Amino acid sequence: MRAATDAHGPLAVGVDPHPALLSRWGLPDDPTGLERFALTCVEALGGVVAAVKPQSAFFERHGCRGVAVLERLLGELAAAGTLSLLDVKRGDVGSTMAAYAQAHLADGAPLAADAVTLSPYLGLGSLRPALDLAAATGRGAFVLALTSNPEGASVQHARDDDGTPVAAAVARGVALENAGARARGALGSVGMVVGATTGGAAARLGLDLAATAAPLLAPGVGAQGAGPEDLAAVFGDARRQVLATSSRGVLAAGPRAADVRAAARDLADRCAVALA
């Protein structure tokens, strides 16, 4: 991730084929339109941005043919040399979590990505199968910590019996996972999702983001209201760990691949300046 952001800027573009976006691109809301949309995104973004973040749900809603498009998209991104970050937000226990891990983090799995998003709200320890497999295969995981949706605060800002905010407990666990990498001055393989619209919440809740050695996925840039200039204020000393994400803010420039590419490059450059 560090090499990719150094080369292309700290931006992951989300591939979120909402029905309205497919319509805006003049595409039908079916697997055929979905495939044309996905391949245009590869043409526009492959080798151009640090990472591409497909949202699995928008492919799954089309059934097995939609999942086949997602599989092809992940393969095309790998062929283009662009990191894939699959937004699946999986979180479960025991053998079920292990199965999710095998689906998305195992070598040779049809739906394997370079990294996935995970939900820790059945306990961070419940994610052990995924964290271990990601480490074993050289992949990564981004754990939800402080998300950009307003409803997240009711859980993430809540305090446990010793007064520790839930988000801070997640960050503490992630820091332990990344202790070896931090000792080497590197980023760990366990990242966190911290929304670009969360303002000063990390500081108020006592999260030392820099100390986690975590890559920090920052959704909310663009259509959700945050601008690149907000990133430094939210992430402070951890800003060199940030991978900002935007979907509609870039894809609205379509359907021409060249226009999507130009929008992505412009936003990546602005994010790089803001996080310097």
Side-chain angles (χ1 to χ4, degrees):
M1 177 186 137
R2 177 59 57 79
T5 56
D6 286 348
H8 302 296
L11 178 69
V13 177
V15 177
D16 298 2
H18 300 265
L21 187 54
L22 291 172
S23 176
R24 179 169 179 163
W25 280 32
L27 297 172
D29 185 18
D30 61 22
T32 301
L34 183 71
E35 184 170 44
R36 288 173 59 191
F37 180 91
L39 294 181
T40 300
C41 288
V42 174
E43 179 186 352
L45 304 170
V48 173
V49 295
V52 171
K53 183 177 72 67
Q55 168 48 258
S56 183
F58 291 109
F59 295 84
E60 293 173 26
R61 73 187 185 90
H62 291 282
C64 62
R65 292 177 63 194
V67 173
V69 173
L70 177 59
E71 181 179 338
R72 182 174 181 187
L73 172 59
L74 292 170
E76 295 285 349
L77 290 172
T82 296
L83 293 175
S84 58
L85 200 176
L86 185 58
D87 196 355
V88 287
K89 297 183 178 71
R90 303 302 192 206
D92 216 308
V93 296
S95 60
T96 307
M97 191 67 243
Y100 282 136
Q102 288 289 327
H104 301 302
L105 296 166
D107 289 336
L111 292 173
D114 293 303
V116 295
T117 55
L118 300 174
S119 175
Y121 297 111
L122 292 177
L124 187 64
S126 69
L127 303 180
R128 176 55 51 203
L131 300 183
D132 287 349
L133 188 55
T137 60
R139 294 180 167 86
F142 287 87
V143 177
L144 304 181
L146 279 176
T147 56
S148 53
N149 62 307
E151 304 88 349
S154 65
V155 173
Q156 296 155 14
H157 294 202
R159 296 178 181 268
D160 62 20
D161 290 343
D162 67 2
T164 302
V166 170
V170 170
R172 184 172 57 201
V174 168
L176 290 173
E177 296 292 327
N178 292 334
R182 183 185 180 194
R184 301 190 305 273
L187 292 178
S189 62
V190 184
M192 295 193 300
V193 178
V194 178
T197 59
T198 55
R204 290 195 305 272
L205 296 172
L207 278 71
D208 187 345
L209 297 176
T212 64
L216 300 171
L217 189 66
V221 176
Q224 293 185 49
E229 63 280 358
D230 296 309
L231 295 170
V234 172
F235 293 98
D237 292 344
R239 60 187 178 273
R240 282 283 291 148
Q241 298 163 223
V242 171
L243 183 63
T245 82
S246 179
S247 174
R248 286 168 289 173
V250 172
L251 299 181
R256 293 180 62 244
D259 294 335
V260 174
R261 185 181 306 117
R265 287 298 331 143
D266 175 68
L267 183 55
D269 290 344
R270 291 165 58 205
C271 290
V273 170
L275 292 168

